[in-house]
Structures are given as C-alpha cells and as structure tokens.
Amino acid sequence: MISRFQFYLLTINYILGTTLFVLIQRLVTQAGQDAWLMPMWAGSFGLLVGLFWILLFRYYPGKSLVQIPMDAWGRPLGIFVAVLYFLFFCNLAGWVLRNLSDFMNATLMPETPKSMLHVMFLLVACYSVAHGAETIGRLNQVITPFLFFPFWLVLLLATVNWDWERLQPVFHSDLGAILQYHSFIGFPYMETIALTMLFPLVKQGAGRPILLGMLTASVSLSLTMFMIIGLLGVERASRLTFPVYTVVQEVSIGEAIINIHSIISVILLILIFIKLLVLIYGAYETLRQVFRPKTRWPHFLGLTILLSATALSIYENPIQNGEWNVKYTFIYDSFFVLLIPFLLLVTTWAKRRFEKRIKRRMN
Amino acid sequence: MAYRYAAGLFILMMFTTLLTACWDKTEMNELALVSMVGVDSDPDSGKKKVYYQIINPLSGTSARGTPGGEQAPVYTYEISGSSFGEIKSTVYQLLPRKLFVAHYEVLLVSQRVARQGIRDIVNFIEMQPNGRSSVPMLIVDGPISQVMKTFTPLERVPSDAIDSRLKLLIRNSLLVGKHIKVNDVIERMEKSDTIVLPLIAGMKESPSSNSGETSADIDANQNNFIVGGGAVFRDYRMAGKLNDAQLVWYHLLNGDRGRHVRRFQVEGKQVSVELRLVRIKREVFWKSDQPVLQIRLDLELSTALASEFIPHSRNEVERLENRLDQIIADESLAFYQMTRERGWDLLRIRDLLRKQTPNHPDIDRAAKNAEVMIHVNTRLLRTVSISQPY
C-alpha cells in the first residue's frame, strides 16, 4: 500500500517525465509567447478524463484497470482487453526509453549505443518493480526533492538571461491554434492511465491525489514554459530540440558557474526513470493479475528483451516521432483511455440496472 | 537461493562493466580545446574557411624557460571545405586531437562573409549539441587570418583578451553593448530586427608569429588587434558600419548602461563628462494614425574626469545640465535621422510597435514613418576631489 502523498508525487513526476523535453518546442511553435497557457487548458481536460476514470473505479473498489474488464465482460474478453493494455503499456515504455536515448545521444553521450542505455535502464527498473509498489512510491518520495530543488535552482540561475519583452504581446496568439493542439492532451495527460494500475494500492482512495497531481504538474509545466520563453525567446525556443537543456547550457555566471547542463540531464534521466517504473509496473502487474505466474524473473527478463527491442524499433528518427505525436497520439490514446473505459462504464451501468430488476422480480 | 545470488552477482558485474560510459570517455589530453573560432570564405571558389585557435596545454608557467624557447600559448589551425559539416571531418588531416568546440569563448567572422550572410554559421552553431550560442560574435575588419594569428600581450590567450576587453568596454564605455552574442543575433534576426556587433581589426600588416618575441616586445600596440566600430546586421547580413561616435548614441538609446566619458562643448568651454544611463522609458502613442515614439533618458553625470572645467555654483551646474540635455537630445535625434535615411531600424521601433499593436496591418510602414521624440534629463551627481582647477 502506498500513501496518498506518494501517489500524488508519482503522478506529478510521471506527467513531467518525458514532456519536459519532447514537447516544449512544439508547444512554443504552436502558441508562440503564450505557450505557457497550453498546459492550463490541456491540464483541465486531463482533469476531466481523470474524473471519468474515478467514476469507473468507484464501481469496482479494490480492482485495478485490467481486473475491471475481466469482472465486467467475463474472463475471455477481459483477458483480451488486458493484453491490449499490456501492449499499450509496453508501447509507451518503448517510447519513453527511446526518447531518453535520443536525448542522451543528442546531448551528453553521442557515442553510446542506444540499446545500452535502454537495457541498463530496464534492468534497474525491473529490479525496482520486482520489489513492488511500495518501493516505487518510497523511491519517488525520497528522490523528488532532489529533482525539484536543483531543477528550479538551475532555472533561477538562468534568469541572468531573462527578458520580459520576450513574453510580449501577451494573449495575442491564435486561440484556435492553442485549442487545436489535441495531441498535448494525449501525451502526457491521457497516458496517466498507467497510474490507475496503482489505484487499488493507495490508502484512503487515489482520486484526489491523481487530480491534484495533474493540476500541480500542469502548473509546473506552465511555469517552466513561461521561464523558457522569457529566457530564450519564442524564435529560438520553437526551433531548438531541447530548449530546457539549452537554457541551462547558456548559463554563465562569472567564471565559476558555467556548463551546469549536466544537472538538467540527470534530472531528466531520473524523471524518465520514474515514468518508466510506472509503465513497467503496469505491464508486469497486468501479466501477474491476468495469468498469475508462479515465478517473476522470467517475465522481467522477457519484458526487458521486449521493451529494448520496442524502444529501438518504435520509430526510426525523432522526426517520425514528432509527426506521430501531432497526428495520431490523441486518437491512439483515446482508444485505451476514453473508449474502453467508456464501454466498461456503459456495460457496468447496464448490468447494475439489470441486476436490480432481477432482484425486484425475485422479491 | 544460491541461484538468486548468482543472478544478482551477474547483473552487478554487468553494471560495473557497462557503467563506465566506455563509449563517451574522453581524456583531457585527447582533446583539442578550442578557444576561438574564425570563419571566412573564399570569394572565388566559395569554399568555407574555418580557423580554430587551440589552447596549447604545455604553455603556461610550467613550460616557461624550457630549452628551445617559450611555448606558444595557442595554435591556429586553418581548414577549408565546401561546408562547415565537411570541415568536421577534414580537420583531422591536420589536427592530432579530438576537436572540442564546446568551451570556445569568441566567434570571429570576416567582413566578406558577414556581407554575404551569416545564416549558415548561426545554423551550424545552433544545430550542434555541444555548440554554445552564448558566445560573443565579432566582425573582422580586414584580413581575418591576421587577427587569428596575432599573439596578445598581457592576456596570453587571445580569446581571453577579447572576452575581457568586451566586458570592460560594456562596463566602462558605450562602444559595445550587452547583446552581441550569437543567440542575440538569432533572436533579433528572426524578429526582422537589427543588431550591431563590434568590429575588430589587426593593427599591423604582418604580426609576429613568435610568441616569445611578442611577449618580449615593449610596444603593446605593435602586435595586437583593436576592438572598435560596429557592424550593422539586418536579415543575417551586414548592411553597414557605425563609427565609435554613432555607437555611443546607439547603445544609449537601446538602454545600455556603460559609463562613457565624452567631451562636450559647453558655453565655449570643453568639458569631459562621464555619463551613465539610470533609466530609459520608451513609449509609443498614436497621433492621427501615426505612431510617435517618446524616449525619456535619465542620465547620471560625473565631472570627476573633467580636468578642463569644474562648475562652482548651483547655477553653473544647472546651466551645464541643461546644455547637456540639449546636446544629447539633439545628437541622438541626428543619429536617429541618419539611421532612418539608411533604412536601419536601430531603435527597434518595429519591435516596439509589434508588441503594442500586434494587429496593426502594416507595421513596417508605421515603424518607418514613426516620429521620434527624445527627452533627456541629466543630473550631476558626482564631482571631483578639487574645488577649483589650478
């Protein structure tokens, strides 16, 4: 069992995970100097989606995302849906890993083979997941201050390059363009469905912490965007692949504080690691709850092999990834995040109605 | 159980071998640390020429007095190719160590390249993961190879010499502004704005290529280069030059805060006054569809260096202040008229209008026709240590 606070922190770090360096450039391109508004509206949509899941989970207390379909639709169809979710989690984990190795290759370690980074991360992540949800929760709780303080400290150090003029004119970008960018709802907000695998384990209910976590993550994203635009300007932030990294790279205070960008790299690595932990936990728990295996390690080994292969082959280059993000993320995620839960909810309602009627007749 | 231990041990062993980042390991003595980069192009063949000035790790205090004379503090390599990307490979025909550009301090661009356009260069810098855009960019007036092959007195590494001169000029004069870095160039050019970068020129036709000779020569002007004048850039191209006198007004009207000393003619007397900008306010208001830009400058004066004339009474001080208000306002306006005639938006009026009225149909025209009013308010705050000149 993990505490509410641990789950709240997990939600925040999960959302911030890859977003901080995959999306920022696209968001700035889309909304210009008002890009800091985007996390606000996407976050509010994310909250609605979260409320929708909570509604579904209320009908099935103590059950996880993959146990619900088995309960609602019977075992054969339930197993089919659970396998779909398993593949979804694996896919997301592949993406996360690949984003990570792309980042490392493009910044700190140009020579290191991608697979090396993937396998190392997976081994450590599997080890953590094998110890269960409490370990993940505690690890994240311990590590969060070490992410939060250095990140904001480094960004505050970067304010030597701050210019208010970069944020003007305020509220003058095309609102349509901001609202059009639906993929931002898909990634990262809809992907938080992986966290629902932990729902039954949160003491005193997971509803409030997940919503608050989404809210906090949106505010921090918004603040980060605000900082990035004020520090780099729209012109550069919309072209650079990793604006957060560049911001910190260009910090130079006197002779002493230069080249502190490795701090940002480490923070991003750990954030991604946390996201990966949740996804691997989701994938492994799905297997465990559906197939009830006796031993753990072969599955973890299998997951490591599967995910390292997925990560290598999920896209050929970041350009493809970007295009997928813009065009299909929302639709793809909607199938798992909106459609299946919606069908589950409908069947649940229908079943309950039906059961009530039968009961009345029996009486 | 033993089985688990064995598996655990195996994984641990794997970690220890893999965690050493074998792939990206670089030792300091395998790197060629670049301190300054120069870019030129051959006008006939169109080939790009890059100069890398690389720090000599053996130079410094330890190597002094070694037999065979003193070590040179830096070595300049000159490589040409049809693109900057190609140079990254061909550099190793000359260079025995891994090129490490991440810590370079200064970028020099020759004037002929600057006039052709620097889009290529900024793109190349910005593209590279370890290329920093936060380095000052200077334009070389004259042959670039000469500046790249000049040893500087006092500061042994030329890039340090340039870097600290720029810092001193920013603080103690209005000849160089703060926004001269590659990232400033990109930002301004993308906004279709203008920017002024400092010019640098060699002092001598053929500087000595022997650092020992240079450091033994008393005449510091002999082997040196000088930072002076400014290159005006529009749309990634150098459009013209500003002289030192114009640079003062340019930086003042753009809010730079260096302490600049200038000699003024006040009531028939010459006075050298130090000015420092305290506050600048730029406002736009519209007068019958015409934008009017009002610039208010508050300046702090100091007569600490005025050896010619020291005001005695309140009345004299006021007269001096009023006269200077007038002179500075007039000269600034004259400077604005000059830039307007040449079509350079050096006061960045267009950018100001874009922020204030983003929906204006024709900002370019409005900016060109903008009326500019400059109000200057100077206050004498610092005086000298003598009450009367001898």
Side-chain angles (χ1 to χ4, degrees), chain B residues 18 48 69 92 105 201 278 321 366:
Chain B
L18 300 175
K48 309 255 188 302
Y92 296 111
E105 283 180 295
V278 181
E321 286 175 356

mmCIF file of all heavy atoms in Angstrom, chain B residues 18 48 69 92 105 201 278 321 366:
data_model
loop_
_atom_site.group_PDB
_atom_site.id
_atom_site.type_symbol
_atom_site.label_atom_id
_atom_site.label_comp_id
_atom_site.label_asym_id
_atom_site.label_seq_id
_atom_site.Cartn_x
_atom_site.Cartn_y
_atom_site.Cartn_z
ATOM 1 N N LEU B 18 29.483 -1.913 -17.541
ATOM 2 C CA LEU B 18 28.813 -1.046 -18.513
ATOM 3 C C LEU B 18 28.694 0.401 -18.050
ATOM 4 O O LEU B 18 28.524 1.305 -18.849
ATOM 5 C CB LEU B 18 27.424 -1.604 -18.814
ATOM 6 C CG LEU B 18 27.435 -3.017 -19.386
ATOM 7 C CD1 LEU B 18 26.028 -3.523 -19.547
ATOM 8 C CD2 LEU B 18 28.145 -3.043 -20.726
ATOM 9 N N LYS B 48 34.369 27.432 -47.754
ATOM 10 C CA LYS B 48 34.390 27.972 -46.395
ATOM 11 C C LYS B 48 35.760 27.716 -45.780
ATOM 12 O O LYS B 48 36.366 26.674 -46.000
ATOM 13 C CB LYS B 48 33.342 27.263 -45.542
ATOM 14 C CG LYS B 48 31.961 27.234 -46.154
ATOM 15 C CD LYS B 48 31.072 28.207 -45.461
ATOM 16 C CE LYS B 48 29.625 28.093 -45.896
ATOM 17 N NZ LYS B 48 29.347 28.260 -47.318
ATOM 18 N N GLY B 69 63.284 27.781 -26.069
ATOM 19 C CA GLY B 69 62.398 28.943 -26.089
ATOM 20 C C GLY B 69 61.041 28.660 -25.487
ATOM 21 O O GLY B 69 60.754 27.554 -25.041
ATOM 22 N N TYR B 92 40.860 16.623 -39.265
ATOM 23 C CA TYR B 92 41.816 15.644 -38.726
ATOM 24 C C TYR B 92 42.981 15.365 -39.672
ATOM 25 O O TYR B 92 43.903 14.642 -39.323
ATOM 26 C CB TYR B 92 41.088 14.362 -38.311
ATOM 27 C CG TYR B 92 40.142 14.644 -37.180
ATOM 28 C CD1 TYR B 92 38.768 14.588 -37.349
ATOM 29 C CD2 TYR B 92 40.631 15.065 -35.937
ATOM 30 C CE1 TYR B 92 37.905 14.911 -36.327
ATOM 31 C CE2 TYR B 92 39.765 15.393 -34.908
ATOM 32 C CZ TYR B 92 38.406 15.314 -35.102
ATOM 33 O OH TYR B 92 37.568 15.653 -34.080
ATOM 34 N N GLU B 105 35.234 30.679 -26.661
ATOM 35 C CA GLU B 105 34.827 31.917 -25.994
ATOM 36 C C GLU B 105 34.408 33.019 -26.955
ATOM 37 O O GLU B 105 33.661 33.909 -26.573
ATOM 38 C CB GLU B 105 36.001 32.447 -25.158
ATOM 39 C CG GLU B 105 36.201 31.713 -23.860
ATOM 40 C CD GLU B 105 37.376 32.291 -23.103
ATOM 41 O OE1 GLU B 105 38.502 32.179 -23.601
ATOM 42 O OE2 GLU B 105 37.156 32.867 -22.025
ATOM 43 N N ALA B 201 39.900 44.718 -35.544
ATOM 44 C CA ALA B 201 40.844 44.859 -36.655
ATOM 45 C C ALA B 201 42.255 44.675 -36.167
ATOM 46 O O ALA B 201 42.593 45.038 -35.042
ATOM 47 C CB ALA B 201 40.695 46.237 -37.288
ATOM 48 N N VAL B 278 20.614 55.915 -16.186
ATOM 49 C CA VAL B 278 19.966 55.397 -14.980
ATOM 50 C C VAL B 278 18.637 54.754 -15.347
ATOM 51 O O VAL B 278 18.307 53.665 -14.883
ATOM 52 C CB VAL B 278 19.726 56.530 -13.970
ATOM 53 C CG1 VAL B 278 19.080 55.986 -12.709
ATOM 54 C CG2 VAL B 278 21.034 57.201 -13.637
ATOM 55 N N GLU B 321 23.902 71.202 -16.912
ATOM 56 C CA GLU B 321 22.928 70.108 -17.125
ATOM 57 C C GLU B 321 21.996 70.419 -18.286
ATOM 58 O O GLU B 321 21.793 69.575 -19.164
ATOM 59 C CB GLU B 321 22.104 69.886 -15.848
ATOM 60 C CG GLU B 321 22.881 69.182 -14.742
ATOM 61 C CD GLU B 321 22.085 69.078 -13.446
ATOM 62 O OE1 GLU B 321 20.970 69.619 -13.400
ATOM 63 O OE2 GLU B 321 22.580 68.445 -12.488
ATOM 64 N N ALA B 366 4.488 51.719 -40.635
ATOM 65 C CA ALA B 366 4.260 52.544 -39.449
ATOM 66 C C ALA B 366 5.576 52.825 -38.745
ATOM 67 O O ALA B 366 5.841 53.944 -38.298
ATOM 68 C CB ALA B 366 3.292 51.839 -38.511
#
